Amino acid sequence: MIVRLRQPRREVEIPGGRAAHAVLRDLGLSREGHLVICNGTLVPSDTMLADDDVVEIRPVISGG
Amino acid sequence: MSKCRSCGEPAVVDLPRHNANFCSVHLQQLCTRQVERAISDHSMFAPEDRILVAVSGGKDSLALWDMLIELGYRADGLYIGLGIGEYSEESHRITAEFADTRGLTLHTVDLRAEHGFDIPTAARATKRVPCSACGLSKRHIFDRETRRHGYDVLATGHNLDDEAAVLLGNTIRWDVDYLSRQSPVLPERHGFPRKVKPLIRLTEREMAAWCVVRGIDYVVEECPMAIGNRHAGLKETLNAMDERSPGTKASFYLGFLDRMAPLLRERTDAEAAPEACPSCGSPSSSDGMPCSFCRLEENAGSHEPVPVRMVLNRVARRAFDAQWGEESSDDRG
Ligand code: SF4
Ligand SMILES: [Zn+2]
Ligand SMILES: [Zn+2]
């Protein structure tokens, strides 16, 4: 599946069939600091992500 | 697929501190209830008050404005153009669009157009970090515009994570003066307007989720000056604790408000009433001298304009180049 990351904007391709929280963990990202948006819809962390999903991982922490 | 705790429909978000998942409708209900509770617990404002919301184009301030309107309050927005390159342009565009599509009133103040300087230039001219000139300018303009347009109160989008990070920083330094003044409400005094923070019971993640389910377009990329700053580091520390033990952030900050702040309040002694700045008329503690904003304006206004990239540290500059691309790195000044 395609995973879109921010700050800076970039895309990585990783295998699907895993829960959103597992993907966050593998990418070294905290659950409390991110939202997972799958095919344009906000989803909870236990959602299983499939190979053909387009997933956005959106950071929510601002430093200002 | 996990289900909403309130209605059993498919959930859109997990909120570990509530040990539950919520659908879009019940996430919104939870958020507006927390805001209503903050407003009433701290007597922030009354239904008939006119509220000015300080909006930056980020998730917190736009969500706050949206919620206040949703709850039936009379709330207008104030946007300040800080002149921080493309970040500011994008923020302005998004904020104006938010107001336009909802038919809301937005006041705009552009620093360069009205005061002859921007934040990167102010940082260079004063040889201080950008956030210090920025904070000073924002406070001055918020106060002035609230007075000028006759609003009863100024509301800002500081959330639970912001306040918990400030509290952690103040506690690590045992800065008792700052601790005793850290409050979600600053009463009106000496010509300064009343200031409130209605989002103190909601986390950053909850605010971002609000924006996503409400379809609010906001600036996801943060201000280039904020990258890797100390405040962001404190937030990460708190989030690491929260992941191991959900609810830590909330109990740290809300517990402080509930049990520690009342003990410290006795310390806040009466400050002397400030005089009026001879140059702009705003209250100033500078003893008959121009206020700190007027001095900044004079100093930075005569300085040659400085591009954003020039005032970033090495880490922030690398992130900035990756974010805004090569065009931005051309203007090396
Ligand atoms: S991060 Fe600093 S410079 Fe950027 S908007 Fe916030 S206070 Fe201003
Ligand atoms: Zn529900
Ligand atoms: Zn002045």
Side-chain angles (χ1 to χ4, degrees):
Chain A
M1 62 187 167
I2 293 170
V3 180
R4 299 207 167 113
L5 300 160
R6 302 279 198 133
Q7 264 168 7
R9 272 174 209 267
R10 59 204 191 282
E11 283 188 4
V12 296
E13 175 113 42
I14 55 174
R18 285 184 301 167
H21 59 76
V23 172
L24 284 174
R25 200 186 41 232
D26 291 354
L27 293 167
L29 303 172
S30 70
R31 171 158 78 163
E32 191 59 18
H34 298 85
L35 288 177
V36 179
I37 299 170
C38 179
N39 304 321
T41 308
L42 186 62
V43 294
S45 303
D46 61 358
T47 304
M48 290 303 287
L49 302 174
D51 258 335
D52 54 356
D53 284 337
V54 175
V55 177
E56 178 192 343
I57 296 182
R58 188 181 288 196
V60 301
I61 307 299
S62 50
Chain B
M1 185 116 188
S2 51
K3 299 210 181 326
C4 172
R5 177 166 85 184
S6 305
C7 70
E9 291 293 310
V12 295
V13 71
D14 52 309
L15 300 181
R17 72 176 173 127
H18 297 288
N19 193 20
N21 300 296
F22 294 91
C23 72
S24 164
V25 171
H26 290 105
L27 168 71
Q28 291 176 55
Q29 184 187 71
L30 180 143
C31 290
T32 49
R33 282 187 179 164
Q34 294 293 340
V35 166
E36 284 180 302
R37 176 149 176 216
I39 294 169
S40 87
D41 278 3
H42 301 279
S43 312
M44 291 186 175
F45 39 74
E48 64 276 12
D49 282 342
R50 287 182 66 233
I51 305 163
L52 185 62
V53 183
V55 279
S56 67
K59 63 187 189 315
D60 303 301
S61 54
L62 290 181
L64 171 60
W65 199 5
D66 186 40
M67 282 184 191
L68 292 178
I69 296 294
E70 187 71 11
L71 289 168
Y73 287 102
R74 301 197 291 165
D76 296 342
L78 168 62
Y79 175 83
I80 304 178
L82 300 166
I84 306 177
E86 281 142 89
Y87 165 75
S88 286
E89 283 159 30
E90 170 106 336
S91 309
H92 188 207
R93 187 183 61 71
I94 283 182
T95 306
E97 203 173 285
F98 178 94
D100 271 1
T101 53
R102 290 163 180 77
L104 300 173
T105 301
L106 176 68
H107 305 280
T108 301
V109 174
D110 186 79
L111 263 187
R112 167 108 2 236
E114 288 188 33
H115 298 284
F117 73 95
D118 51 41
I119 295 307
T121 308
R124 175 55 58 87
T126 55
K127 300 189 177 63
R128 307 221 345 235
V129 290
C131 296
S132 125
C134 186
L136 190 163
S137 304
K138 287 195 285 198
R139 276 192 303 276
H140 179 89
I141 294 169
F142 289 160
D143 290 350
R144 184 189 72 197
E145 296 300 302
T146 309
R147 274 195 312 270
R148 173 188 286 177
H149 299 288
Y151 288 96
D152 296 297
V153 58
L154 176 83
T156 56
H158 296 92
N159 57 41
L160 177 57
D161 292 62
D162 293 319
E163 294 302 301
V166 170
L167 177 60
L168 182 59
N170 289 341
T171 304
I172 287 169
R173 292 190 309 277
W174 287 118
D175 193 325
V176 181
D177 281 336
Y178 275 138
L179 283 168
S180 64
R181 269 180 275 144
Q182 192 176 345
S183 166
V185 177
L186 291 179
E188 177 180 3
R189 60 192 303 193
H190 305 320
F192 294 105
R194 180 180 189 76
K195 288 179 209 165
V196 299
K197 300 172 179 173
L199 300 184
I200 49 157
R201 303 186 61 87
L202 290 162
T203 65
E204 287 203 292
R205 191 162 171 270
E206 289 156 2
M207 294 330 301
W210 171 278
C211 287
V212 174
V213 302
R214 300 276 295 176
I216 297 173
D217 191 16
Y218 66 91
V219 189
V220 176
E221 275 69 35
E222 62 176 326
C223 173
M225 314 294 187
I227 294 166
N229 72 9
R230 184 166 169 280
H231 192 62
L234 291 168
K235 284 183 175 179
E236 272 169 33
T237 304
L238 285 165
N239 277 344
M241 291 164 73
D242 217 84
E243 299 238 358
R244 275 195 297 276
S245 176
T248 301
K249 260 185 316 204
S251 79
F252 178 54
Y253 175 65
L254 298 175
F256 165 81
L257 284 188
D258 205 32
R259 297 189 291 283
M260 192 67 212
L263 302 179
L264 289 165
R265 204 155 296 147
E266 293 156 18
R267 273 187 47 101
T268 3
D269 30 37
E271 306 156 49
E275 296 169 39
C277 165
S279 161
C280 73
S282 293
S284 159
S285 47
S286 316
D287 263 337
M289 301 283 288
C291 70
S292 42
F293 180 78
C294 286
R295 280 179 280 144
L296 176 67
E297 181 178 23
E298 183 168 0
N299 185 357
S302 55
H303 197 286
E304 203 178 303
V306 173
V308 185
R309 196 175 178 281
M310 296 300 293
V311 294
L312 298 176
N313 64 37
R314 210 177 316 141
V315 177
R317 196 176 284 193
R318 215 176 299 136
F320 179 82
D321 289 346
Q323 178 62 47
W324 300 107
E326 288 307 309
E327 329 81 269
S328 313
S329 32
D330 286 341
D331 51 10
R332 284 168 203 213

